[in-house]
Amino acid sequence: MGGGVIALLTAVECVLDGHRVTVVDQGPIPHSRATSFDQHRILRALHPADPRTTAAALRAHRRWVELEELFLTRFYEQVGSLTVLPPAAATDAAAMLADAGGHARELTAAGLADRYPHLHVGGGLGAVLEDEAGVLLAERVLAACVGWLKWQRGIELIEHRAVTAVDGESGSVRLVDGQVLHSDAVLVAVGPWSRDLLPPSIAERLTLYRQSLLYCRVPRQQSQAWAATPAIPALGTEGGAWLIPPVAGTALKLTSATACRAVDAITDYATDPYWQRKLEKEFGDILPGFGPAWVTAAKDAYYSAFSPTGGPLLVALGGAGFAYAACGGTSFKFAPLIARSLADRMTGRSPSPIGLGALDGPPLDVHTPQLAGL
Ligand SMILES: Cc1cc2nc3c(=O)[nH]c(=O)nc-3n(C[C@H](O)[C@H](O)[C@H](O)COP(=O)(O)OP(=O)(O)OC[C@H]3O[C@@H](n4cnc5c(N)ncnc54)[C@H](O)[C@@H]3O)c2cc1C
């Protein structure tokens, strides 16, 4: 269930294993309202002070390269990734990345200013510039999955029909028109809509977030500088600003942790002027010359997280069912590893550890009292 990156790549893995697969979405596949649907997503390997996740991200990098070959489509712009950090942390992070098998350079404050004069990074901060990283063109990834799946034997894509109920014990799924599908195994990967479909014991532990994003056109005189700019998942500001450079004809995308807030429900996708002005003000201090004239569009997006950890959540729905109940803010880059792990679980194999805590342990089980104690 769901036509986002998690369900589509899991479908790909299941098809590669020789299974028959049906993908159902409430909208078209892909759906422009899905969390996965956007111009870009960052793939960075470096997770400071977290060698396991860093190693997992390097594996994800390699699998994305393989998937480009499988789908015969280019959707991964390996422009690198720049993480701004205090100097000592940058030294440690570069060493950790090298230990994990990645390639990274440490930049001093002076080196940063020299290399990226169109960014204003204050406070004497340094950075780590990593090579096995960059920008995944998310909409293209989804289109490539669908394009590949459509040509495979034993695949059915059911669009514009929401799932209204799932029985994880029997593997049956009820659609909005009353039709019931039967399967050996089901996966619920409905992103931020999980709270509507999953049992209350799970739904009440999910937090829904709404985040505002600005899409910008850079001034012509800066276009060369921006063409040589990596993805920047952390600009080192107190607010948590980050950006994605204008690669492969996309916009420069600006956002910040300060523009992310918990909300009660998925409503509209328009950016309130309050949040737009807040982001414009924040980036006015970071990008010399930046102003509202750069902004060509703004939009809000939703994602859900498991409240106790703020990250993803895997749930066992019974003998034949799993739910990737929350994606957290970083599941796109890990989606190939997550998909492999989910495909293994659904087909009764024990998944190899992938280095992501939420996926490697036993899933939460809706039927066990373990949940009550969380
Ligand atoms: C602003 C923002 C920035 C992000 N940046 C990054 C990043 O840089 N790097 C990164 O790795 N991750 C990032 N993420 C997270 C990443 O985008 C998500 O983890 C990932 O896209 C989640 O995919 P999904 O398949 O779980 O859900 P979705 O993409 O939301 O897919 C769910 C699908 O389920 C369908 N659906 C819903 N309800 C039903 C139903 N009842 N019946 C049938 N179908 C249904 C929906 O229509 C949708 O197509 C970001 C997220 C946001 C919001």
Side-chain angles (χ1 to χ4, degrees):
M1 271 137 276
V5 71
I6 298 295
L8 288 175
L9 282 179
T10 306
V12 168
E13 294 294 336
C14 289
V15 167
L16 288 172
D17 286 350
H19 297 285
R20 289 170 51 214
V21 180
T22 303
V23 179
V24 188
D25 201 286
Q26 61 182 353
I29 304 176
H31 188 11
S32 61
R33 294 306 190 203
T35 303
S36 309
F37 195 95
D38 196 357
Q39 292 187 351
H40 19 48
R41 290 287 179 256
I42 295 178
L43 196 171
R44 66 178 156 112
L46 176 60
H47 288 69
D50 188 346
R52 259 172 70 89
T53 309
T54 299
L58 283 169
R59 285 196 297 278
H61 156 85
R62 291 192 282 275
R63 183 62 182 150
W64 279 113
V65 173
E66 288 169 4
L67 286 171
E68 279 193 313
E69 283 170 24
L70 178 70
F71 298 154
L72 296 174
T73 309
R74 178 145 182 217
F75 48 64
Y76 180 20
E77 298 290 319
Q78 289 184 47
V79 293
S81 170
L82 183 79
T83 302
V84 177
L85 291 165
T91 307
D92 292 348
M96 187 193 68
L97 198 53
D99 284 349
H103 296 88
R105 269 153 290 170
E106 187 187 339
L107 298 180
T108 60
L112 255 181
D114 196 37
R115 202 175 172 116
Y116 306 112
H118 54 302
L119 304 177
H120 178 252
V121 176
L125 294 171
V128 175
L129 176 59
E130 49 179 312
D131 294 341
E132 289 92 354
V135 178
L136 290 159
L137 300 170
E139 292 167 18
R140 261 198 232 171
V141 169
L142 301 182
C145 286
V146 174
W148 185 86
L149 283 169
K150 276 186 174 158
W151 285 96
Q152 306 308 310
R153 217 182 269 267
I155 179 89
E156 189 181 0
L157 303 179
I158 300 180
E159 300 179 287
H160 300 287
R161 281 202 277 168
V163 171
T164 55
V166 182
D167 180 346
E169 289 295 344
S170 66
S172 51
V173 170
R174 182 180 296 279
L175 306 187
V176 67
D177 56 6
Q179 186 185 355
V180 178
L181 308 176
H182 299 282
S183 69
D184 300 316
V186 289
L187 170 66
V188 179
V190 295
W193 291 271
S194 293
R195 298 195 308 177
D196 303 336
L197 208 53
L198 295 176
S201 59
I202 301 292
E204 66 199 17
R205 288 169 171 81
L206 303 179
T207 304
L208 180 67
Y209 289 100
R210 177 171 181 158
Q211 183 152 358
S212 300
L213 307 147
L214 302 183
Y215 297 80
C216 305
R217 188 182 299 123
V218 301
R220 188 164 301 157
Q221 67 272 20
Q222 288 193 15
S223 54
Q224 252 185 320
W226 280 105
T229 304
I232 310 185
L235 278 151
T237 63
E238 244 176 58
W242 54 277
L243 65 79
I244 302 187
V247 295
T250 62
L252 163 67
K253 190 164 80 187
L254 309 177
T255 189
S256 170
T258 57
C260 183
R261 59 274 184 197
V263 293
D264 292 334
I266 298 176
T267 51
D268 62 313
Y269 294 79
T271 303
D272 186 278
Y274 168 82
W275 293 102
Q276 179 157 345
R277 279 198 297 271
K278 196 171 161 59
L279 279 172
E280 285 169 355
K281 188 166 178 314
E282 202 168 330
F283 278 90
D285 296 335
I286 303 168
L287 307 179
F290 172 80
W294 285 31
V295 180
T296 55
K299 111 173 171 182
D300 283 6
Y302 297 88
Y303 71 97
S304 59
F306 184 40
S307 311
T309 61
L313 173 66
L314 177 65
V315 174
L317 295 176
F322 292 93
Y324 195 65
C327 67
T330 61
S331 286
F332 202 103
K333 66 169 166 286
F334 290 122
L337 307 185
I338 296 167
R340 187 61 252 162
S341 174
L342 291 170
D344 283 341
R345 286 179 193 273
M346 290 172 72
T347 52
R349 277 188 282 194
S350 36
S352 316
I354 56 175
L356 300 175
L359 269 291
D360 287 342
L364 283 186
D365 192 323
V366 287
H367 301 297
T368 62
Q370 178 196 5
L371 264 179
L374 279 170

